[in-house]
Amino acid sequence: MVQVTNSTTPCADVVLPCLDEAAALPWVLARIPAGWRAIVVDNGSTDGSATIARAHGATVVHEPRRGFGAACHAGLLAAEADIVCFCDCDASLDPGLLTAFVRTVAEGGADLVLGRRRPQERGAWPMHARLGNIALTRMLRRRTGLTLGDLGPLRAARREPLLALGLTDRRSGYPLQMVVRAADAGWRVEEREVPYRPRTGKSKVTGTWRGTWHAVRDMRAVLRQPPVAHDLAAATRAAR
């Protein structure tokens, strides 16, 4: 039986990769839709993030292996809902926006829904991070034919098809690998604009040119990977 938050939106699990986000967690967790489960994946925090997450009703998963992809995948494995969402844990994105994403997936309008970030304030999206994103979306188009404006972290898809994609990247390339393998599998990918706020605290990846370069390097490596036929065939069947 599928639980629903209201007459039209199924419940979902929201994966929140977390590394020292104590200041942002209360804001983020307060915006998780009613009836949904927040899965905070603690990736080695030293600021009490896990304690704060539990106090605000989240399920906490500990992932000792450092890396954005490692945290995201640990959350995916811990998820139980049919539809799983991903959102950054730094208060730059409102997880409440995911209700529309989930409704689209549940109704069969798309297999993967992505948020295209629109900065709301100066400095919300540093120029070096934006340029890196532009370069990657162009490479993605050449590799897959998908025309996207962003590779943002706000997204939703069904859990079993995501697992069938056989995602292997455990660093910054994880979000891109998800899109690449989804495209190779013939998924219907939809993009919609979402407001993007300045994050709370310092970014661990795109806050510096060096961090952005490492992320771009990881993602370029993903784009060089050939399709994994057996995983993608299974993912296509599961997505339908």
Side-chain angles (χ1 to χ4, degrees):
M1 181 176 179
V2 177
Q3 292 181 307
V4 296
T5 56
N6 54 48
S7 60
T8 58
T9 307
C11 285
D13 286 344
V14 184
V15 175
L16 299 156
C18 176
L19 176 59
D20 292 331
E21 303 289 5
L25 275 167
W27 187 93
V28 173
L29 294 175
R31 285 160 177 79
I32 298 293
W36 290 20
R37 184 169 68 133
I39 302 175
V40 174
V41 184
D42 184 31
N43 202 208
S45 299
T46 59
D47 66 349
S49 288
T51 300
I52 292 172
R54 288 193 190 93
H56 284 79
T59 297
V60 176
V61 173
H62 292 279
E63 174 50 62
R65 181 178 176 181
R66 285 292 182 92
F68 183 77
C72 286
H73 203 69
L76 176 60
L77 292 175
E80 299 175 352
D82 177 45
I83 298 176
V84 178
C85 304
F86 296 84
C87 181
D88 275 353
C89 204
D90 57 11
S92 62
L93 292 161
D94 184 348
L97 298 170
L98 288 164
T99 54
F101 290 33
V102 168
R103 193 176 301 120
T104 297
V105 172
E107 294 174 352
D111 301 311
L112 175 63
V113 182
L114 305 171
R116 180 174 182 173
R117 293 169 287 184
R118 290 300 188 193
Q120 302 300 293
E121 301 176 31
R122 184 183 298 274
W125 199 354
M127 183 56 66
H128 55 269
R130 196 177 307 191
L131 291 173
N133 188 73
I134 291 171
L136 287 166
T137 55
R138 289 175 177 172
M139 287 187 281
L140 174 70
R141 184 170 62 249
R142 290 195 295 269
R143 165 65 174 77
T144 67
L146 272 182
T147 300
L148 298 176
D150 191 11
L151 293 169
L154 199 69
R155 51 187 63 193
R158 293 189 184 276
R159 179 178 181 272
E160 291 303 322
L162 282 173
L163 289 171
L165 289 178
L167 302 176
T168 58
D169 192 281
R170 295 297 181 262
R171 294 170 59 87
S172 300
Y174 187 89
L176 177 60
Q177 188 180 54
M178 183 187 296
V179 176
V180 169
R181 293 201 173 182
D184 287 344
W187 286 22
R188 297 158 300 161
V189 180
E190 178 180 312
E191 187 177 51
R192 57 184 63 184
E193 293 187 2
V194 294
Y196 191 52
R197 306 168 62 253
R199 65 159 289 137
T200 298
K202 183 176 176 58
S203 172
K204 287 78 175 176
V205 178
T206 58
T208 64
W209 280 98
R210 181 177 181 182
T212 299
W213 164 245
H214 283 302
V216 170
R217 180 195 61 190
D218 291 345
M219 293 185 183
R220 289 181 67 182
V222 167
L223 290 167
R224 290 193 294 267
Q225 296 171 355
V228 183
H230 64 284
D231 286 338
L232 299 183
T236 303
R237 292 192 298 270
R240 299 292 184 269

